[in-house]
Amino acid sequence: MRRPIVAGNWKMHGTRSENARLIEEISSRYPADPVAQCIVCPPYVYLQEVGRLLRDSALLLGAQDVSADPQGAFTGEVSATMLKDIGCRYVIVGHSERRLLCRESDQLVARKFAAAHAKGLVPIFCVGEQLADRETGRTREVVARQVDAVLELSGAQALASAVIAYEPVWAIGTGRNATPEQAQEVHAFIRARIAAQDATIAEVTRILYGGSVKASNAAELFAMPDVDGGLIGGASLKADEFLAILAASGSR
Ligand code: 13P
């Protein structure tokens, strides 16, 4: 049985006071025994402070990115060791915004995955096709290429302690989520791709859906057999929405 995960990717949003208010609102109404594990991923500069705010709560801390290198002359970069050092448990790698805006290749993302995994951080490894890929029937090809880059560098074993997030680019921040059937189809494809290398690991790997998840559509998405929760952008910045999405994680 895979425990679902609901993770909030705050992206480049928030201030110290807004973060404190959001965490207070979430923690004060946090369910006693939620079905899902809940994670928040603030911007780097706020990680330590948000980590302190989360100290007595069941919420866990994640970062939004990590360097592919362990240390050295990489101005502006943050290593997996540093993230571990300040209490991060999870880190997003390969988000489409970084793939597209920062030109991160499949190979760089795979190196970031390996760097995080090597230091005991749980990578939240994002994959997903662009609209043009979907419209030209290339969704599986793109997602397979992204998944294979990690499988080739780290092996299927590394996915046992990782999380995958399927985030179709056309669904991110657009209000247009994938239908539950579209999500399920790609999630099942990803699981089968892993199973081709190791069926046991494919069964335990959590695959989250991301892209315009909100309180009103979370339950139907999370009800799908291969959807093990969500990676939430905009709606993770609103306590009401985020808590409702967390509550929907019990729908399978
Ligand atoms: P939205 O939920 O705002 O569409 O963003 C999804 C996302 O990119 C999470 O990583």
Side-chain angles (χ1 to χ4, degrees), residues 7-11 13 92 95-97 124 126 165 167-177 209-214 230-237 245:
N9 174 8
W10 292 3
K11 307 193 181 183
H13 292 290
I92 297 170
H95 192 281
S96 63
E97 286 149 18
I124 303 176
C126 299
E167 299 205 309
V169 178
W170 48 270
I172 294 178
T174 59
R176 177 188 166 198
N177 59 289
Y209 168 77
S212 297
V213 178
K214 32 191 184 282
L231 181 55
I232 322 299
S236 72
L237 300 169
I245 293 167

Side-chain angles (χ1 to χ4, degrees), residues 100-217:
L100 296 170
L101 303 173
C102 306
R103 309 240 165 96
E104 293 193 2
S105 65
D106 294 336
Q107 285 65 38
L108 178 64
V109 172
R111 287 183 58 227
K112 290 185 172 199
F113 179 105
H117 184 255
K119 296 297 172 197
L121 288 167
V122 178
I124 303 176
F125 164 48
C126 299
V127 298
E129 83 286 2
Q130 298 186 54
L131 185 59
D133 301 323
R134 178 159 283 268
E135 286 177 344
T136 51
R138 294 177 60 240
T139 297
R140 287 175 175 231
E141 182 192 323
V142 170
V143 170
R145 200 189 62 221
Q146 294 169 336
V147 171
D148 288 356
V150 163
L151 284 172
E152 277 160 27
L153 188 64
S154 295
Q157 188 64 43
L159 285 172
S161 52
V163 177
I164 297 179
Y166 169 57
E167 299 205 309
V169 178
W170 48 270
I172 294 178
T174 59
R176 177 188 166 198
N177 59 289
T179 65
E181 293 72 25
Q182 285 173 322
Q184 168 59 27
E185 198 236 303
V186 180
H187 284 226
F189 172 73
I190 294 169
R191 204 176 299 288
R193 194 100 191 156
I194 303 166
Q197 297 211 359
D198 191 315
T200 311
I201 286 172
E203 264 317 295
V204 299
T205 304
R206 265 109 27 119
I207 308 178
L208 315 183
Y209 168 77
S212 297
V213 178
K214 32 191 184 282
S216 59
N217 61 19

